[in-house]
C-alpha cells in the first residue's frame, strides 16, 4: 500500500527503488532522495515571500528541516516522524498562511491541488498515530519525503 500511496502523491512507479533491491543500492538511493528533499524544501522555504514579521518562521522552518534530515541520517526514524510532520506544517503555514491542522485547511488545499491534499491528509494520519516501530516509521518517512521531493 505504501508504494501505491507514494505513486499517487509523488509520481507513478519510482518509489519502489527506495524499498526494494540490494541493501547498498537502496541505501544510496535513499540518501540521494533525502538530499533532493532537503534541497527542494530548503529552496521552497527560502524562496517563499513572507512579511518581515514572518522571517522568523522561515528560519524556524529551515532549522526544523535540518533537524529532521539529521534524525533520518542518524536512523532515528521513530522521532523523525513527528519532526517530519512539523516540517510539513511549517511549509503549509509559509505557503498558505494556515495551520495544517486547522478546520477548513484540508478543503482549501484539496481545491488548490488534489495531490497536495492527499499529501496533507497523509500528514494528518501521521500526526494522529501512536508511536510506531522503526521499520514502519522508515517507510512512513520515505513516503512523505518522496512526495515532497517530487513536487
Amino acid at each position: 500500500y505504501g508504494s501505491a500511496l507514494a505513486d499517487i502523491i509523488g509520481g507513478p512507479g519510482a518509489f519502489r527503488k527506495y524499498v526494494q533491491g540490494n541493501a547498498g543500492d537502496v541505501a544510496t538511493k535513499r540518501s540521494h532522495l533525502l538530499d533532493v528533499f532537503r534541497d527542494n524544501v530548503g529552496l521552497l522555504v527560502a524562496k517563499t515571500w513572507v512579511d518581515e514579521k514572518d522571517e522568523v518562521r522561515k528560519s524556524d522552518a529551515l532549522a526544523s528541516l535540518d533537524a529532521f534530515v539529521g534524525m533520518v541520517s542518524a536512523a532515528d526514524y521513530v522521532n523523525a516522524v513527528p519532526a517530519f510532520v512539523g516540517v510539513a506544517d511549517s511549509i503549509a503555514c509559509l505557503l498558505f498562511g494556515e495551520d495544517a491542522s486547522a478546520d477548513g485547511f484540508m478543503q482549501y488545499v484539496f481545491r488548490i491541488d488534489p495531490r497536495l491534499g492527499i499529501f496533507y491528509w497523509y500528514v494528518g494520519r501521521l500526526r494522529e498515530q501512536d508511536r510506531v516501530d522503526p521499520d514502519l516509521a522508515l517507510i512512513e518517512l520515505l513516503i512523505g519525503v518522496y512526495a515532497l521531493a517530487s513536487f
Side-chain angles (χ1 to χ4, degrees):
Y1 296 116
S3 286
L5 178 61
D7 287 348
I8 291 169
I9 57 179
F15 180 76
R16 290 183 192 270
K17 67 184 174 190
Y18 302 111
V19 294
Q20 293 178 340
N22 76 53
D25 288 345
V26 169
T28 299
K29 289 174 185 172
R30 287 177 182 172
S31 177
H32 178 70
L33 176 65
L34 189 61
D35 290 342
V36 169
F37 168 82
R38 182 195 62 236
D39 293 346
N40 288 357
V41 172
L43 184 62
L44 174 68
V45 170
K47 295 290 183 181
T48 301
W49 182 88
V50 295
D51 289 331
E52 189 175 316
K53 65 181 175 61
D54 289 330
E55 284 295 328
V56 172
R57 279 191 178 156
K58 284 176 70 170
S59 296
D60 290 347
L62 291 171
S64 295
L65 174 63
D66 288 342
F68 167 74
V69 169
M71 287 179 199
V72 174
S73 296
D76 185 7
Y77 306 128
V78 173
N79 290 315
V81 171
F84 177 78
V85 170
V87 169
D89 287 349
S90 293
I91 292 169
C93 189
L94 288 171
L95 291 180
F96 307 116
E98 296 210 22
D99 181 350
S101 62
D103 288 341
F105 176 77
M106 290 305 297
Q107 292 87 355
Y108 175 72
V109 77
F110 263 105
R111 280 194 311 268
I112 292 171
D113 183 335
R115 280 182 38 215
L116 192 58
I118 293 169
F119 170 76
Y120 275 103
W121 168 85
Y122 178 70
V123 170
R125 303 299 65 82
L126 294 178
R127 182 183 292 108
E128 294 170 356
Q129 79 180 0
D130 293 330
R131 192 171 178 88
V132 297
D133 69 74
D135 291 334
L136 178 57
L138 172 59
I139 297 299
E140 291 174 341
L141 292 169
L142 286 171
I143 291 169
V145 165
Y146 175 73
L148 277 184
S150 299
F151 275 104

